[in-house]
Amino acid sequence: MVQTSDKPTTKIPPSKHEFAEIIHRLEAGGSMLPDTPENLMQIIGIYKAYAVPMDFYWRDLLYIAERVFLDPLPAFKYFLPQEYLDLHNHYAGDDADLRIWRGVATAHPELLAFMEKGETTKMPKIFHHLFHDRINMEFAEACMQAMLWHRKMYAPVNQFDAYLDSEEYKANADKAIKAYFRKNPLMSGLYKLFPDMFLEQCRMMSYYSNLGLFWEVMAPVFFEMSDIYDEGGFKGVPDAMNFLINGIFAIAGRPIYHHVYIDGECYEIIPKSKGFTWLYEAALPYVEAVFYRTAPFRGTKSYNAQAGQVPADQKDFHYGILYADVFPVGTAGIPPTLLMQDMLHFLPQYLVDYYQEYCRGEEDILIQLGITFQRSMYNVTSAVIQALRTALLYPLDDENPKHLQANREFFEMQLNRFTRTDYNMRDAARLWDIQRQDYR
Amino acid sequence: MADIVDIAVSNDAFKTLVAAVSAAGLVETLKSPGPFTVFAPTDEAFAKLPPGTITTLLQNIPQLARILTYHVVPGKLTKADLAKLGTVTSVEGSPIKINCEDGFEVKNATVLAADIDADNGVIHVIDTVILMG
């Protein structure tokens, strides 16, 4: 029941691109992911499973950025205090700025239940941590690092990054660093000797805040999508994509900032008044850094400089989820395993039943859900592409053929990222695979 | 003659724009000698934005101001001047593409009325809110 029309619905001649079918689908208001009930069920189920650990990630990212800050021995940075579990999400609950999810503003009940019992039984947090019966927060930190290491993206539209190098930022950070180490002469002395070392750590903290504020929005969006699906509200994959597009626009203007709390006082390292926005300073850099680029997996690529496997230029990095080989998930050197393991705890029953019918059933469930996750992220990326087209180009039903041609060129340019031959990028891209239902 | 703000206030098509400019505290700036070139979206242009966008922006004034200053270019640039330049840099800092090949387009917006003269600059009325990127 794939509802992809071979004929373009637009008034311009058909595309000659190798992904012409997908381009025509995008021009008809569709997603890169084919519209089948099976795909819809998979992606919504995995959004739900992703949103619960994400509810932990954003809270802990903000906790680290705002409270742990430059702690030289942050041994307990994953031990989320009650205050941050009770923190109200700005887009859920009764007192939301703009209510996206109809559920609670505090931490998700399934997350709280998992934190209490984990896969084992009720015991103090420290034992859950030591037995590795916990949320893999390292995955969230890896995403943060991807953003930090791929700086200079989207300049001059992304102004957050340039600000981190400004004198104003350095002065703000200096005040906070001095206050933070006020009672620690050793660290204060080190700061005098090596100021840049501390400043760079502070920039990293600003990225913790950036990503935390980004995911604070995505968690309620995914929860609400799951609820709408359960109520029978989505009729197909394009509906789910359109919900994401509307979400992107609704929140586009939320501020991105970095506040640090030291001895009850707030230090505005990046104040809200800088005008940094969710869309330009968090969402778009995130998509580029995490969906497309990230860093080569230690388990699949050689970093040997002579071998030339890893590109010299960061813009050629292609190790994000859209290119990832999911089959080795669960083996050494494959970072997304951390996330797959996290999502495993929160799968809706219909998805567990579904996986049991295919491949090795429960045995290779991490791989199956990983591939589902890849499908779902192609849908999120489609939403981003359609949102950009809405913001920067023309409506799909525009009367002017020149405008339609501009849209066409934009879609083709986006899909060209999956056809480049250098570094085997075209073989790595999974766009063809997700067109097939038997890719699991 | 009137300044940019007076012209917008006196015209019924700019109710949203005028409200947004005053919420963002940009009235004084746009009344200053300038000169400025302003791409002024009509109420219909704002209405085309998806729901929630304006709500969030009105809750966050610096972010609203940033979107609005993207619609302002320093200097007094008529259609003829813009056609020659091709790309201009907004007060916000990001570039704006101009296309005068057939008609008069500012990025993905079409100009509905060009070269409205003001004391401290010039106004071009557009049918779509333009966004950075």
Side-chain angles (χ1 to χ4, degrees), chain A residues 89-320:
Chain A
N89 187 305
H90 285 86
Y91 303 97
D94 292 326
D95 59 350
D97 290 349
L98 186 79
R99 194 168 191 174
I100 295 178
W101 186 40
R102 290 161 284 170
V104 291
T106 51
H108 194 272
E110 281 185 47
L111 174 66
L112 295 174
F114 178 79
M115 288 175 69
E116 194 176 305
K117 284 194 163 168
E119 292 174 324
T120 47
T121 179
K122 194 176 166 173
M123 57 180 148
K125 235 187 243 181
I126 183 94
F127 293 115
H128 276 294
H129 185 86
L130 294 174
F131 291 143
H132 210 109
D133 186 8
R134 59 184 180 88
I135 300 285
N136 289 314
M137 187 60 197
E138 291 90 338
F139 172 78
E141 291 183 310
C143 291
M144 177 281 299
Q145 278 166 349
M147 295 179 78
L148 176 70
W149 292 345
H150 288 275
R151 290 182 57 180
K152 317 282 182 242
M153 288 179 304
Y154 285 107
V157 174
N158 168 13
Q159 301 182 346
F160 180 90
D161 200 56
Y163 184 70
L164 297 184
D165 294 320
S166 69
E167 291 305 319
E168 190 182 325
Y169 180 84
K170 287 178 193 165
N172 293 347
D174 179 68
K175 264 185 237 149
I177 295 168
K178 281 186 179 144
Y180 189 76
F181 292 125
R182 200 160 28 210
K183 292 168 200 149
N184 190 333
L186 175 65
M187 296 305 287
S188 297
L190 278 173
Y191 178 51
K192 279 209 181 72
L193 283 172
F194 309 108
D196 283 346
M197 180 171 81
F198 290 79
L199 195 58
E200 187 62 12
Q201 290 297 308
C202 191
R203 289 190 185 109
M204 183 168 84
M205 287 300 140
S206 296
Y207 266 105
Y208 269 95
S209 183
N210 182 310
L211 181 57
L213 294 169
F214 172 68
W215 273 339
E216 184 186 355
V217 172
M218 295 317 291
V221 167
F222 289 152
F223 283 134
E224 183 62 22
M225 290 179 82
S226 171
D227 285 359
I228 292 175
Y229 180 73
D230 290 346
E231 292 158 7
F234 288 130
K235 297 290 168 248
V237 172
D239 282 0
M241 183 186 72
N242 287 329
F243 187 89
L244 285 166
I245 298 172
N246 285 330
I248 289 170
F249 274 104
I251 309 302
R254 95 159 288 197
I256 296 296
Y257 53 89
H258 181 199
H259 292 173
V260 180
Y261 297 90
I262 302 163
D263 295 333
E265 207 178 317
C266 176
Y267 291 80
E268 298 192 354
I269 294 183
I270 302 179
K272 291 182 182 178
S273 63
K274 292 310 295 177
F276 298 150
T277 61
W278 184 85
L279 178 66
Y280 292 112
E281 273 77 25
L284 293 177
Y286 172 86
V287 168
E288 178 69 25
V290 177
F291 287 6
Y292 286 96
R293 296 190 188 184
T294 70
F297 297 0
R298 268 70 172 173
T300 55
K301 289 281 176 265
S302 167
Y303 278 65
N304 181 338
Q306 277 81 36
Q309 278 195 12
V310 171
D313 208 336
Q314 280 183 303
K315 72 172 171 38
D316 295 332
F317 274 34
H318 55 286
Y319 308 102

Side-chain angles (χ1 to χ4, degrees), chain B residues 6 8 23 26 30 32 45 54 65 79 106 113-114 118-120 125 129 131:
Chain B
D6 295 336
L26 292 171
L30 289 176
S32 70
I54 298 285
K79 180 185 172 185
V106 176
D119 270 347
N120 56 348
V125 181
V129 176
L131 296 164

Side-chain angles (χ1 to χ4, degrees), chain B:
Chain B
M1 224 166 34
D3 62 40
I4 291 168
V5 177
D6 295 336
I7 292 178
V9 169
S10 67
N11 191 323
D12 268 352
F14 300 115
K15 285 200 191 101
T16 316
L17 180 66
V18 169
V21 166
S22 53
L26 292 171
V27 173
E28 268 185 43
T29 315
L30 289 176
K31 274 186 164 294
S32 70
F36 303 107
T37 303
V38 175
F39 301 112
T42 59
D43 289 346
E44 278 170 28
F46 279 101
K48 279 199 275 182
L49 289 173
T53 314
I54 298 285
T55 316
T56 303
L57 284 173
L58 286 173
Q59 287 166 354
N60 302 293
I61 295 307
Q63 284 68 22
L64 173 66
R66 186 169 158 201
I67 302 283
L68 292 174
T69 52
Y70 184 58
H71 290 75
V72 181
V73 176
K76 186 171 181 173
L77 301 165
T78 60
K79 180 185 172 185
D81 299 328
L82 290 166
K84 264 181 263 164
L85 287 168
T87 302
V88 287
T89 304
S90 69
V91 172
E92 190 269 343
S94 304
I96 307 173
K97 262 196 182 169
I98 310 285
N99 181 359
C100 289
E101 273 172 29
D102 48 5
F104 181 12
E105 292 187 354
V106 176
K107 208 157 181 179
N108 57 336
T110 302
V111 176
L112 301 172
D115 298 338
I116 299 175
D117 221 10
D119 270 347
N120 56 348
V122 62
I123 301 175
H124 307 288
V125 181
I126 53 176
D127 71 341
T128 304
V129 176
I130 53 172
L131 296 164
M132 298 85 82

